[in-house]
Amino acid sequence: NSEALRPEDPTALGPYRLVGRLGRGGMGTVYLGEDVSGRRVAVKVINRELAGETTFRERFRREVTAARQVRRFCTAPVMDAELDNDPLYVVTEYIEGPSLERAVAERGPLPGSDLEGLAVGVATALAAIHGAGIVHRDLKPANVLLSSTGPRVIDFGIARALDAPDGPTRTGQFVGTPNYLPPELLRGEQVTPASDVFSWGCVVAYAGTGRAPFSGNTVPEIFYRVAHDEPQLDGLDPGLRDVVAAALDKDPRKRPSVQELLGRLVGNGTTDPARLAETVQASWHGLPPDPAAQARAAHAVPPPAAVPTTDPTRRDGAVPPPPGVARPGAG
């Protein structure tokens, strides 16, 4: 899932050897790395222009320190960080598996049981994140990885470091993807755990239908629909539609909390993140089928039949050669 390192890329950071590129975003570049024991890790290196902002560095330190306190349930936990020397970087557990965004784009919406597992798994991750006093602020399909043991949420909390009033976003930029931003952020109101609940509703709707519930051709159009329109939930599993609609209420005070989400999703009164994570892992079936792989399998040419090496009708078991072909060693 990684690309080769480029000539300008570092090959090592601290005790970590870098072996490939995993991606690049507005905050920095993510590399596939290995620690001294050979264990794989993801290393996010912060862009130099951001690292040069004093306010950003201070907030980055606070947010990463808080993120290291998040329990591991359904997340990619922060393992290490360089907070003092250039370049700044964060090290998290490496999660094998595609993002939800990529999986749905390539294979279509998740089937029923795995869609429910995704909804519970992401809500469980938010419970762990909020339990550490952090708001994710940038929950979206690209930040949910589909591992073999269930969905994992990455990049939690760190987006807030970009939001300093006099920092890199002071020109009115928004941190996050337009389709998944809560309306209170567009209104300039405080971002709270309820904001993550709204984004959770958008992510589950995307996973179940293959499209964002607020879509448009331009960013202003998307912002208008987020702020004023009802979500497009046609085709979403009826068992999830009501709870997703409640999470997408324009008023954050009317949305269910993460604990209430889990109570409605699980229905057995269990909202303990550890037990819920075990439940998700036990019922998770992995990725939806790959249509391209299925098509290749359906049109595959069967292998040729094995050529017999003995003839059970003959006493000596030998297979006679075809007519006109002399047996080796004969004549």
Side-chain angles (χ1 to χ4, degrees):
N1 292 328
S2 64
E3 301 175 0
L5 293 176
R6 300 176 185 177
E8 67 271 19
D9 288 331
T11 57
L13 289 169
Y16 304 100
R17 184 172 71 94
L18 305 185
V19 297
R21 269 183 172 236
L22 292 173
R24 181 176 176 83
M27 181 176 281
T29 304
V30 184
Y31 297 98
L32 175 63
E34 295 179 350
D35 64 11
V36 292
S37 69
R39 178 176 56 173
R40 286 182 165 187
V41 295
V43 183
K44 173 172 280 191
V45 180
I46 304 305
N47 289 338
R48 189 177 301 275
E49 60 270 23
L50 291 177
E53 294 266 359
T54 301
T55 303
F56 172 84
R57 292 178 74 103
E58 293 173 351
R59 299 194 70 159
F60 180 71
R61 171 186 290 276
R62 290 198 299 270
E63 295 307 311
V64 171
T65 300
R68 295 179 74 171
Q69 307 306 312
V70 174
R71 301 172 76 186
R72 295 173 178 264
F73 308 125
C74 301
T75 66
V78 175
M79 302 166 55
D80 195 4
E82 174 56 66
L83 303 175
D84 298 310
N85 302 309
D86 292 330
L88 303 181
Y89 62 83
V90 183
V91 181
T92 67
E93 178 182 335
Y94 173 70
I95 306 298
E96 185 80 41
S99 69
L100 174 64
E101 179 182 53
R102 175 181 169 187
V104 171
E106 293 180 353
R107 308 184 185 190
L110 299 187
S113 60
D114 279 341
L115 178 60
E116 293 175 357
L118 176 102
V120 174
V122 175
T124 301
L126 290 180
I129 293 166
H130 295 169
I134 296 175
V135 179
H136 191 295
R137 304 173 71 88
D138 193 20
L139 182 63
K140 56 187 178 183
N143 280 340
V144 178
L145 302 183
L146 303 184
S147 77
S148 60
T149 58
R152 299 288 197 96
V153 174
I154 63 173
D155 277 359
F156 43 86
I158 298 174
R160 187 181 173 204
L162 291 170
D163 284 344
D166 56 348
T169 60
R170 59 182 173 270
T171 57
Q173 302 174 54
F174 287 99
V175 177
T177 303
N179 307 80
Y180 304 93
L181 293 177
E184 60 267 25
L185 179 62
L186 306 183
R187 297 192 294 261
E189 299 171 3
Q190 183 178 5
V191 175
T192 68
S195 305
D196 283 346
V197 170
F198 185 92
S199 298
W200 172 90
C202 292
V203 167
V204 174
Y206 172 82
T209 66
R211 64 180 184 277
F214 304 100
S215 57
N217 296 320
T218 65
V219 171
E221 182 182 0
I222 294 171
F223 281 174
Y224 180 88
R225 291 184 174 176
V226 169
H228 302 287
D229 288 358
E230 292 299 313
Q232 297 176 334
L233 300 179
D234 295 345
L236 183 62
D237 188 316
L240 288 171
R241 182 162 180 158
D242 287 347
V243 67
V244 168
L248 295 178
D249 197 293
K250 307 297 184 189
D251 186 345
R253 297 169 297 180
K254 296 180 180 179
R255 295 174 202 148
S257 67
V258 169
Q259 294 297 329
E260 290 169 339
L261 281 180
L262 290 170
R264 294 176 64 170
L265 290 168
V266 179
N268 60 7
T270 299
T271 57
D272 176 66
R275 294 182 62 185
L276 289 171
E278 292 175 356
T279 300
V280 171
Q281 292 173 8
S283 61
W284 183 252
H285 297 117
L287 298 177
D290 184 349
Q294 289 181 324
R296 288 194 299 270
H299 294 88
V301 177
V307 177
T309 58
T310 61
D311 185 351
T313 64
R314 290 174 57 106
R315 178 174 299 178
D316 60 3
V319 176
V325 178
R327 184 183 300 278

